[in-house]
Amino acid sequence: MKHASDHQEHERDIQHREHHRSGRRGRLFESGRMKLLVLHLIQQSPKHGYEIIKEISDLVGDGYSPSAGTIYPTLTSLEEMNLITLLDVERKQYQVTEYGEAYLKEQQDMLLALLQKLRLRREIHNNDQLIDIHRAMENLKTALRLKLNIADLQQEQIHQIAEKIDQAAIAIGRL
């Protein structure tokens, strides 16, 4: 078993690698969240890559399905990080290691927040009464993407956009 200081150093290394691999923000799965979800699913019971794809599809809903090109490299990375190991080499079935269990305990708050986000997303997409909210959220995301693609966006414009979003969030919170 590794020492706590080794584990903390490994955790910093994971966060560093995840930070530098991350792409655009605002994705369904931000940096490291897919790994955390895959690890969580394997913790529930040993799984194959296909089972993980299916479970994530069911968990996220709305037709989302992670690609094999996302899941299999994630499994390889988790294995290289010593968070999972092959239970059945022939069938490529994975299980969580002791180190993976400790990592999940450390990341419990982040995992719960992710599961809550996915649950809320599923509820919004599956609830016809919330279709107007979903449409408005998509409109906001599109407007932000279009505005943020402007190369010469001024600092004052950035401040105004952030302020409008903050005001909307406060107003919605008060409803």
Side-chain angles (χ1 to χ4, degrees), residues 37-45 47 52 55-56 59:
L37 182 60
V38 168
L39 189 59
H40 167 70
L41 293 174
I42 294 171
Q43 181 191 39
Q44 293 175 341
S45 67
K47 294 190 178 29
I52 294 166
E55 285 190 30
I56 291 174
L59 191 60

Side-chain angles (χ1 to χ4, degrees), residues 48 85-94:
H48 309 283
T85 188
L86 280 170
L87 176 65
D88 183 340
V89 175
E90 239 178 69
R91 297 178 61 214
K92 289 261 187 185
Q93 188 177 39
Y94 292 91

Side-chain angles (χ1 to χ4, degrees), residues 33-44 52 74-75 78 83-84 95-97 99-101 103-104:
R33 301 314 193 271
M34 179 63 81
K35 285 181 183 173
L36 187 60
L37 182 60
V38 168
L39 189 59
H40 167 70
L41 293 174
I42 294 171
Q43 181 191 39
Q44 293 175 341
I52 294 166
T74 298
L75 289 169
L78 289 170
L83 299 175
I84 62 171
Q95 68 181 2
V96 174
T97 64
Y99 201 52
E101 294 282 351
Y103 180 78
L104 279 168

Side-chain angles (χ1 to χ4, degrees), residues 100-113:
E101 294 282 351
Y103 180 78
L104 279 168
K105 283 180 187 169
E106 288 176 7
Q107 299 299 317
Q108 187 69 24
D109 290 342
M110 187 184 300
L111 176 62
L112 292 175

Side-chain angles (χ1 to χ4, degrees), residues 69-150:
T70 296
I71 296 303
Y72 290 103
T74 298
L75 289 169
T76 299
S77 180
L78 289 170
E79 192 174 16
E80 288 171 354
M81 295 152 91
N82 194 32
L83 299 175
I84 62 171
T85 188
L86 280 170
L87 176 65
D88 183 340
V89 175
E90 239 178 69
R91 297 178 61 214
K92 289 261 187 185
Q93 188 177 39
Y94 292 91
Q95 68 181 2
V96 174
T97 64
E98 285 183 39
Y99 201 52
E101 294 282 351
Y103 180 78
L104 279 168
K105 283 180 187 169
E106 288 176 7
Q107 299 299 317
Q108 187 69 24
D109 290 342
M110 187 184 300
L111 176 62
L112 292 175
L114 173 60
L115 293 172
Q116 174 68 12
K117 174 183 174 181
L118 296 176
R119 184 192 61 74
L120 182 59
R121 182 182 190 276
R122 244 187 353 268
E123 285 178 9
I124 290 171
H125 285 281
N126 292 336
N127 187 338
D128 289 341
Q129 294 175 340
L130 300 178
I131 194 98
D132 287 337
I133 293 173
H134 176 67
R135 178 199 44 76
M137 288 169 50
E138 293 301 319
N139 285 345
L140 176 61
K141 287 194 295 189
T142 300
L144 284 169
R145 280 190 199 109
L146 291 172
K147 189 54 107 173
L148 295 176
N149 281 331
I150 297 172

Side-chain angles (χ1 to χ4, degrees), residues 22-36:
S22 66
R24 64 186 171 93
R25 289 284 165 204
R27 302 183 298 189
L28 178 58
F29 291 100
E30 294 176 31
S31 178
R33 301 314 193 271
M34 179 63 81
K35 285 181 183 173
L36 187 60

